[in-house]
Amino acid sequence: MRALLTGGGGFIGSHFAEYLLAETGYDVHIVDDFSTGVPGNVAGLREDDRVDVDELDVRDEAAMREAVASADEVYHFAAAVGVEKVVNEPLLSLKTNVEGTQNVLDPAAEDGTPVFVASSSEVYGKSLDVPFDEDDDRVLGPTTVPRWGYANAKALDEFLGLAHHQENGLPVVVGRFFNIVGPRQVGDYGMVIPTFVEQALRGDPITVYGDGTQTRSFTHVQDACEVVFDLMQTDAATGDVFNVGSSEPVTINELADRVKAAAGSDSPVEHVPFDEVYGDDFEEPPRRYPATEKLESALGYAPDTDLETILADVVEEQKTKLEV
Ligand code: UDP
């Protein structure tokens, strides 16, 4: 079996490549434009005979057609991600996320090649109806707020995948990721845990955006990899949408305290208004955590690595990286 991993140089994609190599006999074809993906993530993997790495952009239709043609399964992780990137480069984010998915799904549908589509809990928007069920209504703000463009692009990816399943019989599984975190994630595009851990280890102020009462639940990347692979091997999951997340919500204020404890840090906590970070046309999902019953009934389990373990893993990695 040969798996194509789009965005295989990114945080989740590179962990997934390692998962396939460790747990299966698959060959792995990584494609990435290394815009947010990091060459270092796959440097070691390049040495492996079972791995090919190609630098290409998912918006390149011809190149993607060729890559999909040589695959038995496709895992589509490539996307413009991170709230900062989405807000500052909305056009790039929309085009990468919609055209890229089309360029994967169209040729896959011609060959009947199974596709995993990586979506996001962002599609639930600012709904307050937690925990979020897969078939819950989505609550989004106006088109003048760039953040919702990302939510809509990801939703369009889901629609495209499900439409290909309905009309062309394409085996598709959609996974909605809930704040996937772990070693190797970078804080450059706004992600909170690598940002807080670095601040804590350096003794810098921990920057909590807004009043810090917003909630998230964090999912260890290893758990996410296992779920993604297992969903693709589960017939009953085909043509359906699943939350990929753990249901342990924390406020961002509490997260700041827990990061400090995990890092043994006495950094002060500083609250920064959202508009100072993201400008005036910004909205924030105030609540977010998944219902996991659907995933549990498909697979018999859901991600369950607790926040303490997640933070310990990230602290350990960053201590080495920052040499503190
Ligand atoms: N956040 C924060 N300080 C930071 C980065 C993020 O308080 O330096 C908050 C952010 O406003 C959000 C949460 O942490 O409420 C998670 O942010 P992230 O960008 O990691 O993911 P999101 O869930 O917003 O996509």
Side-chain angles (χ1 to χ4, degrees):
M1 289 288 269
R2 181 170 161 89
L4 172 65
L5 276 55
T6 72
F11 160 60
I12 300 175
S14 61
H15 276 282
F16 190 71
E18 287 172 6
Y19 178 88
L20 287 182
L21 294 169
E23 303 293 332
T24 75
Y26 282 38
D27 291 330
V28 175
H29 183 193
I30 290 169
V31 298
D32 203 299
D33 70 350
F34 295 104
S35 56
T36 57
V38 182
N41 286 348
V42 294
L45 299 180
R46 285 177 193 265
E47 312 301 316
D48 193 314
D49 289 346
R50 291 161 61 198
V51 178
D52 290 318
V53 181
D54 284 321
E55 184 168 340
L56 66 86
D57 188 324
V58 280
R59 289 172 298 171
D60 182 338
E61 190 183 341
M64 287 309 297
R65 179 165 289 278
E66 201 181 316
V68 171
S70 66
D72 300 304
E73 284 178 3
V74 181
Y75 294 85
H76 179 43
F77 299 113
V81 292
V83 178
E84 219 167 282
K85 197 165 186 72
V86 166
V87 167
N88 294 331
E89 296 175 87
L91 204 52
L92 176 81
S93 161
L94 289 166
K95 281 177 173 283
T96 305
N97 295 339
V98 178
E99 287 173 17
T101 302
Q102 259 175 327
N103 289 342
V104 166
L105 290 171
D106 289 348
E110 287 166 27
D111 301 342
T113 309
V115 181
F116 173 80
V117 175
S119 182
S120 168
S121 53
E122 190 80 10
V123 300
Y124 291 105
K126 53 184 174 178
S127 169
L128 295 173
D129 188 17
V130 282
F132 296 146
D133 268 304
E134 286 83 348
D135 56 1
D136 277 350
D137 289 343
R138 305 167 50 230
V139 182
L140 302 179
T143 52
T144 46
V145 174
R147 178 174 193 149
W148 304 126
Y150 176 76
N152 277 303
K154 281 290 169 190
L156 191 53
D157 291 349
E158 296 193 13
F159 278 123
L160 286 167
L162 297 173
H164 271 296
H165 175 72
Q166 182 185 323
E167 293 187 34
N168 300 320
L170 177 68
V172 166
V173 180
V174 175
R176 288 183 182 154
F177 289 148
F178 279 72
N179 294 74
I180 310 296
V181 295
R184 288 214 294 265
Q185 187 177 38
V186 290
D188 303 9
Y189 310 102
M191 275 69 167
V192 68
I193 285 189
T195 304
F196 280 8
V197 169
E198 182 167 346
Q199 290 167 336
L201 288 173
R202 290 191 189 283
D204 292 342
I206 295 184
T207 53
V208 171
Y209 297 165
D211 66 7
T213 59
Q214 67 271 33
T215 60
R216 294 290 187 274
S217 69
F218 296 92
T219 308
H220 198 294
V221 64
Q222 284 303 333
D223 290 347
C225 289
E226 190 184 355
V227 165
V228 167
F229 183 73
D230 287 352
L231 281 173
M232 283 285 278
Q233 315 311 314
T234 303
D235 288 343
T238 304
D240 216 341
V241 178
F242 294 87
N243 289 337
V244 180
S246 82
S247 46
E248 185 195 350
V250 284
T251 67
I252 301 304
N253 284 328
E254 189 187 337
L255 178 70
D257 290 339
R258 296 197 43 187
V259 167
K260 281 179 61 174
S265 164
D266 57 7
S267 283
V269 173
E270 213 171 69
H271 287 86
V272 186
F274 284 115
D275 58 2
E276 275 182 27
V277 188
Y278 294 123
D280 287 334
D281 48 359
F282 182 78
E283 286 188 83
E284 166 77 359
R287 300 272 171 277
R288 178 183 291 167
Y289 81 94
T292 54
E293 287 80 2
K294 187 172 174 182
L295 189 65
E296 275 167 46
S297 87
L299 299 184
Y301 70 91
D304 64 355
T305 304
D306 61 22
L307 187 59
E308 202 175 325
T309 309
I310 292 173
L311 293 178
D313 278 4
V314 178
V315 166
E316 191 187 310
E317 181 228 6
Q318 288 226 20
K319 267 188 175 164
T320 315
K321 203 171 82 187
L322 300 173
E323 295 175 355
V324 290

